[in-house]
Amino acid sequence: MPKASLVRAFVALWWTAGSLLLLWSLQTAGRALQAGHHNPHLALLGIVEAVSAALFLFGRTMRIGAAGLLATFAVAFGVHATGGGFRGDLILYAAVVSFVAAHGAVPLAWLRPRRG
């Protein structure tokens, strides 16, 4: 079993990334659906990303959510790149999601303090 401090740091990274990606994807979808700026493709991408982020937050569906997030990052990166933009933040998000998914969910027992 890894050290408790390492486990807590991992869980903080996992939940911070998942929560922020969920929030930001909902904001993206909301802005894409606003009157005057209606963009159904961006809204769909934001909704898929939001569902993926929600799945990413739970141990049993973490890897499914991670796959969805990585797919949406790839699409967004490609769209921005073809438009002449570079979104390095998407590369960072992909690295964090990949790291968390590679390690998998943390058993709750690992978060309890050790005795002895």
Side-chain angles (χ1 to χ4, degrees), residues 17-37:
S19 299
L20 287 173
L21 290 168
L22 176 59
L23 173 67
W24 294 334
S25 58
L26 290 172
Q27 289 174 341
T28 297
R31 282 192 302 269
L33 293 173
Q34 285 179 346
H37 295 91

Side-chain angles (χ1 to χ4, degrees), residues 8-107:
R8 284 192 297 272
F10 175 82
V11 171
L13 176 66
W14 171 20
W15 276 81
T16 300
S19 299
L20 287 173
L21 290 168
L22 176 59
L23 173 67
W24 294 334
S25 58
L26 290 172
Q27 289 174 341
T28 297
R31 282 192 302 269
L33 293 173
Q34 285 179 346
H37 295 91
H38 189 72
N39 184 337
H41 298 103
L42 182 59
L44 178 61
L45 188 65
I47 291 166
V48 169
E49 187 179 26
V51 169
S52 297
L55 291 171
F56 180 71
L57 288 170
F58 298 97
R60 291 184 181 187
T61 57
M62 174 202 284
R63 290 196 169 115
I64 295 168
L69 286 169
L70 293 173
T72 59
F73 299 155
V75 169
F77 188 85
V79 169
H80 284 283
T82 58
F86 176 76
R87 292 283 309 269
D89 58 324
L90 294 171
I91 297 170
L92 177 62
Y93 303 153
V96 169
V97 167
S98 296
F99 175 79
V100 170
H103 287 278
V106 173

